[in-house]
Amino acid sequence: MSEQISQIFTANNMKFLFDGLKLTLYISFIAIVLSTIFGTILAVFRNQKRGPLKILASIYIEIVRNIPNLLWIYVIFLIFRIKSTPAGIVSFTVFTTAALAEIIRGGLNGVDTGQKEAARSQGFSKLQILRYIVLPQAIRNVLPAIVSQFVTVIKDTSFLYSVIALQELFGKSYILMGRYGQTGQVFTIYGIVALIYFLVNFSISQFSRWLSRNWAKGY
């Protein structure tokens, strides 16, 4: 059994999995950056008292959030006929944007209105109030929820292999399992992949806690 398991830990196999991890992080990073930008814009639009931008933002958020991400992957890949990697990035951006928009909107609503009134009395414009006062506090307040959504993106990239055969980390591990048929070998590969996901996501969570503590000291 030990000899069978040791066959998994070859340089080629580890490089094979590492290539999958690089693709997972690449897709996740781009989707997270784009989703944060678009999600912030949608949150601001939806937080307006009235107007067409509020209506459009609300429609987008409600439609996207109430349809599974798995279906968005199918739709974007099959209907729009784009390649696997861009399809993965676009589908996760579409879905995560809606989720982050609601998280950030909650943060916007949590900022004390007295601070906005004080800023207006000092001659700040609406854009300046949003940029310098409201958004920084809103992001700080909902940072744990934002990071949780980031972690979800990284984990959910595992859908991509089963849907569009994209060889990210889980896809690479699935291919590797096909080469080794013994139960112990399969569970070893599962264990390696689970450990990789844990280390990546735990590191992100720890960084979030460190950032929150430092922000709290400077607040």
Side-chain angles (χ1 to χ4, degrees):
M1 178 66 74
S2 60
E3 182 179 348
Q4 293 175 348
I5 293 177
S6 65
Q7 293 173 2
I8 304 297
F9 294 94
T10 65
N12 286 337
N13 286 345
M14 294 302 103
K15 181 181 182 302
F16 189 70
L17 289 176
F18 182 69
D19 288 342
L21 174 62
K22 286 194 293 185
L23 183 56
T24 290
L25 295 179
Y26 172 75
I27 292 171
S28 300
F29 177 78
I30 296 179
I32 286 167
V33 170
L34 293 177
S35 299
T36 302
I37 296 170
F38 297 145
T40 301
I41 294 171
L42 282 182
V44 172
F45 285 168
R46 194 173 190 186
N47 219 35
Q48 293 179 350
K49 293 181 179 179
R50 62 183 67 86
L53 292 178
K54 176 182 177 68
I55 295 171
L56 290 174
S58 299
I59 291 172
Y60 176 89
I61 292 169
E62 292 303 327
I63 290 176
V64 173
R65 286 180 67 236
N66 289 290
I67 295 177
N69 192 18
L70 200 61
L71 186 56
W72 287 114
I73 299 172
Y74 275 113
V75 168
I76 290 167
F77 180 68
L78 297 177
I79 295 180
F80 293 98
R81 301 288 182 179
I82 57 179
K83 294 181 179 179
S84 297
T85 299
I89 293 171
V90 171
S91 60
F92 275 92
T93 299
V94 166
F95 188 81
T96 308
T97 291
L100 284 179
E102 283 298 273
I103 292 171
I104 295 170
R105 188 170 75 96
L108 293 174
N109 291 332
V111 177
D112 186 7
T113 56
Q115 296 186 43
K116 303 175 190 176
E117 293 170 358
R120 278 195 292 270
S121 69
Q122 296 298 314
F124 280 64
S125 67
K126 288 184 178 180
L127 185 60
Q128 288 174 323
I129 293 172
L130 178 66
R131 179 180 176 183
Y132 296 111
I133 297 174
V134 177
L135 268 180
Q137 292 186 65
I139 297 298
R140 182 187 294 116
N141 292 339
V142 297
L143 182 63
I146 291 175
V147 172
S148 177
Q149 190 62 42
F150 290 171
V151 169
T152 298
V153 170
I154 294 172
K155 292 188 295 184
D156 285 355
T157 55
S158 58
F159 293 151
L160 294 171
Y161 181 72
S162 61
V163 179
I164 57 179
L166 188 62
Q167 295 182 21
E168 38 65 61
L169 176 59
F170 184 77
K172 291 284 190 182
S173 69
Y174 201 81
I175 293 170
L176 206 57
M177 289 175 205
R179 301 175 185 173
Y180 299 93
Q182 299 298 320
T183 301
Q185 293 174 325
V186 171
F187 275 101
T188 299
I189 295 170
Y190 269 127
I192 294 170
V193 172
L195 180 61
I196 293 172
Y197 277 118
F198 171 79
L199 291 175
V200 170
N201 292 325
F202 181 73
S203 299
I204 293 172
S205 298
Q206 288 297 104
F207 175 73
S208 169
R209 294 188 185 98
W210 175 84
L211 194 60
S212 295
R213 287 195 298 269
N214 279 268
W215 278 356
K217 291 176 183 177
Y219 182 63

